[in-house]
Amino acid sequence: MVSRRSFLASIAASGAGALIPAASWADLGNPSFLAAAKDRAGRYALCGLTATAQIAFRVDLPDRGHAAAAHSTRAEAVAFARRPGTFALVLDCASGRVVQRLESPQGRHFYGHGAYLQGGDVLVTTENDYATGAGVLGIWDARRSYTRMAEIPTGGIGPHEVIRLPGTETLVVANGGIRTHPDSDRDKLNLDDMHPSLVYIDDGHITEKVTLPPEMAQASIRHISARKDGMVAAALQWEGDPDRVIPLLMLHKAGQSPRLRMADGADQRALQGYAGSVSFSGDGGQVAITGPRGGAAHIFDPDSEDGPTIMRRMDVCGVARSGDGLAFTDGMGGVICPDHAAVHDLAWDNHLVSL
């Protein structure tokens, strides 16, 4: 693992220019989102979507995608294979060209998510060291054709999503707590001994680790979102007794205790213990979790203890900020933005990524 000093040195090191596409997001019409999809012919793709719910571009993928990381300025995105995938594709979204294929190191697999640091100079990927089960973050130099520079521990098992806190270089990682191994496909190997956590990482060091109460140990912390003031929202997926109804939204601010939020009675039970995605609204006044199994999105006021507003939508899963509000996608091809909606001949995958 990399030391703090070598991590800082690797981030700061100057390098030759990467294979940089000439186009910017503005050249593509300023799309607002990225989403993976499958068409009726069984082909996979990564699409750019506009704030008016239209498709701005499509880049074909060789296999099912999960989520993507979007470069902050140039029209470049990294599409991650569905867990447990061993590849990620760096895409020039203007031309549809694969700029680089990233392979996870020997003994690792990706978890389907990543994030950029340093204005897009550095890519961070969530990975599994499947011999030990330890979670790591891979560090890739986007200025040098995505050369792998280092890796750092996440302090847990099954790091699924990583994000950057707005306005900082602090990373937040959702350690799902579930051990996997490529030889077992998507089997969950340690459900009776889970230890999910939310960790904050600065300069390669874990500065805070948040865990749930023991009775919630089988609530996997999977997907996360952050608003400008540093509040983090986490979507939970319950791996315990299916008859038990638990909160599926956790809210946290650094240095504070986590808060759990849920709907009442039948509305919470309908989610079947599964929150697929989470996002704050653009103005930070709302936070939504999606329940594709329950056909509903629960939209909370993160600063109150009120129950959620419920949007009912079959197979809704993707959610992202859109303007001051929220946008959603579903497995039936639907794209729902604050002032526009459309249905496309595609099945959208789990996540909607804001640009």
Side-chain angles (χ1 to χ4, degrees):
M1 296 296 181
V2 68
S3 68
R4 179 180 184 274
R5 178 171 294 179
S6 61
F7 176 80
L8 290 172
S10 67
I11 292 292
S14 61
L19 299 173
I20 302 175
S24 69
W25 293 116
D27 294 323
L28 272 67
N30 288 315
S32 296
F33 317 104
L34 297 175
K38 180 180 179 181
D39 66 20
R40 287 193 175 184
R43 296 169 300 196
Y44 297 101
L46 182 73
C47 295
L49 296 170
T50 72
T52 57
Q54 300 304 308
I55 295 175
F57 65 86
R58 169 179 168 154
V59 181
D60 288 338
L61 299 176
D63 208 337
R64 181 176 174 180
H66 184 68
H71 195 277
S72 57
T73 56
R74 60 183 186 253
E76 185 168 290
V78 180
F80 292 94
R82 187 183 188 221
R83 174 187 67 81
T86 58
F87 74 90
L89 299 179
V90 183
L91 304 173
D92 176 349
C93 296
S95 68
R97 184 171 61 93
V98 176
V99 176
Q100 190 88 12
R101 182 183 173 104
L102 307 183
E103 298 285 351
S104 59
Q106 185 69 30
R108 303 280 192 273
H109 71 68
F110 294 127
Y111 271 106
H113 291 268
Y116 279 99
L117 286 175
Q118 298 291 316
D121 287 346
V122 175
L123 175 72
V124 181
T125 55
T126 52
E127 300 173 11
N128 176 28
D129 179 348
Y130 50 79
T132 66
V136 297
L137 294 179
I139 312 297
W140 309 75
D141 190 343
R143 302 160 301 180
R144 298 181 178 179
S145 299
Y146 289 86
T147 301
R148 189 178 179 89
M149 296 188 290
E151 61 185 39
I152 57 177
T154 69
I157 290 173
H160 193 71
E161 186 163 17
V162 57
I163 61 172
R164 181 179 60 84
L165 281 185
T168 76
E169 296 299 315
T170 298
L171 293 171
V172 187
V173 182
N175 285 314
I178 299 173
R179 186 167 182 175
T180 58
H181 193 290
D183 290 347
S184 301
D185 192 32
R186 293 174 60 82
D187 290 349
K188 301 166 184 177
L189 305 178
N190 66 328
L191 295 186
D192 293 331
D193 189 30
M194 290 175 56
H195 299 285
S197 61
L198 185 76
V199 300
Y200 295 76
I201 297 176
D202 279 305
D203 294 340
H205 277 193
I206 295 172
T207 58
E208 186 169 358
K209 184 174 184 177
V210 182
T211 58
L212 294 165
E215 64 273 16
M216 292 278 290
Q218 288 179 292
S220 182
I221 302 173
R222 305 287 283 175
H223 297 107
I224 46 180
S225 176
R227 71 178 185 181
K228 292 179 180 179
D229 67 351
M231 181 182 285
V232 174
L236 309 181
Q237 296 178 7
W238 179 239
E239 301 292 346
D241 180 355
D243 291 328
R244 185 176 167 196
V245 180
I246 68 156
L248 297 176
L249 173 64
M250 181 178 81
L251 298 173
H252 182 259
K253 270 191 164 184
Q256 300 180 10
S257 298
R259 295 187 293 132
L260 296 172
R261 303 289 299 280
M262 63 188 297
D264 292 331
D267 287 327
Q268 188 69 20
R269 182 176 293 278
L271 297 182
Q272 300 178 45
Y274 185 94
S277 295
V278 61
S279 181
F280 283 100
S281 59
D283 64 6
Q286 297 177 310
V287 61
I289 56 171
T290 56
R293 295 177 182 174
H298 288 195
I299 305 169
F300 293 85
D301 177 346
D303 299 307
S304 82
E305 297 304 317
D306 295 340
T309 299
I310 298 176
M311 182 189 81
R312 304 193 188 281
R313 183 88 181 185
M314 185 180 297
D315 201 24
V316 63
C317 197
V319 60
R321 69 181 186 274
S322 180
D324 288 339
L326 291 159
F328 300 87
T329 53
D330 61 49
M332 316 302 291
V335 182
I336 306 97
C337 296
D339 298 312
H340 300 84
V343 177
H344 301 280
D345 202 15
L346 294 165
W348 300 111
D349 218 285
N350 294 48
H351 300 296
L352 187 63
V353 177
S354 290
L355 293 174

